[in-house]
Amino acid sequence: MQASRVVRALQQARLSTAHGTANPSEIAHFSRLSSQWWDEKGEFGFLHKMNPVRVQFIRQKLLEVFREEGNSERTSEMGIIDGLDVLDVGCGGGLLSESLARLGARTLGVDASESNIAIAKIHASADPKLDTLSYLHAPAEALLESPKRYDVVCSMEVLEHVDNPASFLSTCAELVKPGGHLFLSTISRTPLSYILTILLAEDILRKVSQGTHTYSKFIKPSELVSFFQEHRSTQEIFQLSKSWISPHCPPDAPPRTEAEIRGLIYHPLQAKWTLAPRHAWGATDCNYIFWVRKPSLDP
Amino acid sequence: MFAPTSSRVYYVTAKRYTTRLPVHRAISTYEEYDVAIIGGGPAGLALASALGSSQVIQKKLRVVLIDAGDLSKVRNWSPPPGTFSNRVVSLTNSSQTFLREIGAWDHVEASRTSPMEEMQVWDGVSDARLKFSATEIGLDVSEDGMARLTEILNLQRGLLRRLEGFSNIKICDKMKVQTITRDSEERGGWPMVHLESSQVLRARLLVGADGFNSPVRSYAGVPSFGWSYDRQGIVATMVHAPRGAFEGPNTTAYQRFLPTGPIAFLPLSPTISSLVWSNRPHIASALIGSGPDVLANMINAAFRLPEVSLRYLFNRIVEAYSKGNPLSGSEIQREIFWREQSHSVDPNSAFASAMVKTREGVPPVDSQFVPPLVSMIQAGSVASFPLKFNHAESYIGEGIGGRTVLVGDAAHTVHPLAGQGLNMGIGDVESLTRCIHNALIQGGDVGSYTALQPYARERYLANHSLMAAVDKLHKLYTTTSEPVVWARSVGIEILNELDSVKAAIMTVAGAQNSKIHSDMTGWNFAAKGVESFVATAQVAKTLSGGLSGIIDTGLHNLLGRR
Ligand SMILES: Cc1cc2nc3c(=O)[nH]c(=O)nc-3n(C[C@H](O)[C@H](O)[C@H](O)COP(=O)(O)OP(=O)(O)OC[C@H]3O[C@@H](n4cnc5c(N)ncnc54)[C@H](O)[C@@H]3O)c2cc1C
């Protein structure tokens, strides 16, 4: 019975083929690596270590919003994400998706790489506690065809790999319910990020396969803020005229109720990631996580 | 530096006693658990209680605890009034605080525990002595004492009572774990626990709280290293007269370091105390084999007589015992009496024990230097355990031994001279519980390496430095290495000044509350102190030639470090 579940998972993973914003040569690269996804001390070890910090930020940010709105059901330690519709775009082997599902979210993980989805499905099938988790091999764009929208959309360490970030961001934005949340994590384009992620990690220490990152694709936090200052919804029935982030705020300091940028700092001695304090100087020069909220329908 | 004279270093290279099941013969019926704890000793039961008393964990995880023994005997343990079990531990204040936090301490029968308000430790060769009291060492709550002496059974029973309230924690006792296998690769390779009853449990996280011979440790493929001390720890429940007027209550613990190993007197009630006496195996078996009368007399002597006389008495006992004609109580009493006379021990002094019947009225002036005279050993309370040092190389299994974690004696076994074995285990449980809680609220998989790593980080070095210091203290006092023996005989008076030993003893006493970092420095400091003591001893010995001035200088240099 278990074996047939795995076979089914594999068949489903083969259902759709992808094109869209995901770059074919990068997909091939990650497919090669995807079997190593769940080796916590392997090449993706840094993601395994980073994952709890991402979840921490998601929980903290949602908790802050729920508190402000007086939503007392959602302010208990385990109730923050419980029962929400969550989409994980570029879910890879399912690291974040599994965590969110374990916290009770109805989670859908999508990835343009077929083998990532296969690995993610096999891994999740071994765990009896992931019944709110499903996976789909598809580019994010494909989801726009369905009317389904999500309370929370996450896309972690994906933006720096896509060919058309503006289009990718619009897609993610469309998939968020009005009043919902978008979380992104990526790498900034600074001399520091070049040294750490490409020169050191790929070329010198060889901790990450060469060719994993392309410097020119790195996006600065202020560029994300600017994007959401200008972004307007196009496909939705309700024409949301409001911008997501007030157009007049400085792009490095958006209002805290609309967006937030936090650095993710790696401490080599403790082999551990932490969330940098708000506005810590230079903290967002390399890895950072970004939250923005879609305006609600009511005026 | 300390050539382990009598101890043999051994490496336990973990042998996997598991066979990988072929994939096609997948096990069809099994129960799923998030946490399977193997071992219902104090560490395993404390972990189960801690997991149960956390709201988050209680809601999210299904927990099972397996033990080979009959835990209902522990649950229904009701010792006849006035008797005490022979396995007693000193629980530090931080262990007690944790047990209180998880709601277990209320179920431990307080009237069977005793505070340790003072502690006296002295060297058997030079008689240099250290004395601590709870107030002296600046404890926050000095009325609780430096630690609380508690029977392990009282603690285990309390934990079992606490566990009765939890619905998500299942206890399977009288159930031996037969083998542990690994689920198929496709199914994530989770541990499958096969019980005697042919039930199978599939575990997200398998906890080894299964003691020194941990089956979980061998499944995990974690090697451990250590050595046997070539010492037996004799335990017994001792009966004695209550402390007299002007003497204060029976709340002082005594420990004398003899070259054969330390002897400790741990108070339990006004008239009952517990013995932990580590001794050479042949002496231990002769002492036990000669009967409780001889043992009682020898306990009294071991706290009082000069070391040379004890050596003589041990020889007498061993010789008679090996000839199949053990000494009787009155014979050994007479022997002790002669030794006392030859050392001109004043019969009115507290250091006389042989011919003293009962002391009434005003006690001897020196009575607080030695424990009360033992009049009797509680029937059936004598037992002994081999003493060893053993430390797993890692607390978390990896790769094909993944989803496993070790706590308590499964992870580490230490010499009992510092009374820290179980306290370390409780510290493990506290840290692992926090780690599981943190992983859960971040949506983590509590069996994953990422989730468990903080536990190993928090505990491994802290435990290791404590164990190393305890090991060094044992060797310092039992080594036959000549310069060290010599230095101890002339220079041990410096003990009072030796910050490091003091730091160790204070940690022993539980004076440093729960802060891991201060624990670590205390123990590191202690180990370093012992090392530099020995180094100084060797230098001083080389330079000596009857030059006491140089010895003084050498020892002063040691003190000059402050
Ligand atoms: C002489 C002496 C004095 C000591 N004094 C002190 C002191 O003063 N202070 C202190 O803190 N510590 C002291 N200790 C240490 C302390 O007793 C131990 O550290 C403690 O008992 C260990 O508890 P544990 O739960 O880790 O292991 P254990 O008590 O060894 O429990 C292991 C359990 O696992 C079960 N088990 C094993 N294999 C299987 C299997 N295959 N299937 C099912 N069940 C299994 C066993 O039945 C057992 O119940 C002393 C030790 C000795 C020897």
Side-chain angles (χ1 to χ4, degrees), chain A residues 23-34:
Chain A
N23 172 331
S25 70
E26 291 215 340
I27 292 172
H29 174 70
F30 274 104
S31 293
R32 257 184 277 120
L33 299 175
S34 60

Side-chain angles (χ1 to χ4, degrees), chain B residues 39 41-43 67-68 87 89-90 152 177 209-211 215 408-409 416 419-423:
Chain B
D67 194 86
R87 294 299 312 274
V89 292
S90 65
I152 291 189
V177 171
D210 42 2
D409 275 25
Q420 290 299 295
L422 183 56
N423 289 303

Side-chain angles (χ1 to χ4, degrees), chain A residues 2 40-41 48-49 52 55-56 59 77-78 98-99 102-103 122 125-129 269-271, chain B residues 32 34 56 60-62 186-188 190 202 204 398 437 440-445 448-450 457:
Chain A
Q2 291 307 333
E40 293 172 79
K41 295 178 121 185
H48 285 269
K49 288 192 187 115
V55 179
Q56 181 198 347
R59 290 176 72 249
E77 218 168 15
M78 296 303 285
E98 283 196 7
S99 294
R102 251 184 228 111
L103 290 170
I122 290 172
S125 75
D127 191 325
K129 287 250 170 110
L269 286 181
Q270 296 158 4
Chain B
E32 298 266 10
D34 292 299
V56 168
K60 281 279 180 177
L61 300 183
R62 259 188 106 202
E186 295 72 22
R187 304 256 306 130
W190 290 22
R202 183 172 184 263
R204 177 187 300 279
E398 288 176 43
H437 175 268
L440 272 184
I441 61 172
Q442 310 296 22
D445 173 352
S448 66
Y449 182 81
T450 309
R457 259 169 201 284

Side-chain angles (χ1 to χ4, degrees), chain A residues 34-163:
Chain A
S34 60
S35 62
Q36 298 153 23
W37 250 96
W38 285 96
D39 177 5
E40 293 172 79
K41 295 178 121 185
E43 178 171 345
F44 289 97
F46 79 100
L47 281 184
H48 285 269
K49 288 192 187 115
M50 192 195 257
N51 193 50
V53 186
R54 297 157 161 179
V55 179
Q56 181 198 347
F57 179 70
I58 295 172
R59 290 176 72 249
Q60 272 180 11
K61 202 61 222 183
L62 294 180
L63 181 63
E64 193 182 309
V65 171
F66 296 144
R67 282 226 175 99
E68 226 148 78
E69 291 177 347
N71 186 345
S72 59
E73 278 165 46
R74 296 225 159 265
T75 49
S76 76
E77 218 168 15
M78 296 303 285
I80 301 169
I81 302 177
D82 193 45
L84 294 182
D85 283 313
V86 175
L87 174 68
D88 182 12
V89 177
C91 63
L95 200 46
L96 179 70
S97 300
E98 283 196 7
S99 294
L100 297 171
R102 251 184 228 111
L103 290 170
R106 285 190 296 269
T107 309
L108 174 65
V110 298
D111 202 289
S113 152
E114 195 173 333
S115 87
N116 275 355
I117 290 294
I119 291 287
K121 282 189 169 178
I122 290 172
H123 191 266
S125 75
D127 191 325
K129 287 250 170 110
L130 295 174
D131 40 15
T132 58
L133 173 62
S134 49
Y135 288 111
L136 187 66
H137 168 218
E141 290 76 3
L143 297 178
L144 292 172
E145 289 157 23
S146 136
K148 170 99 182 156
R149 295 296 177 260
Y150 299 85
D151 297 300
V152 175
V153 174
C154 307
S155 182
M156 302 299 185
E157 312 303 312
V158 175
L159 196 54
E160 66 271 25
H161 301 290
V162 300
D163 280 344

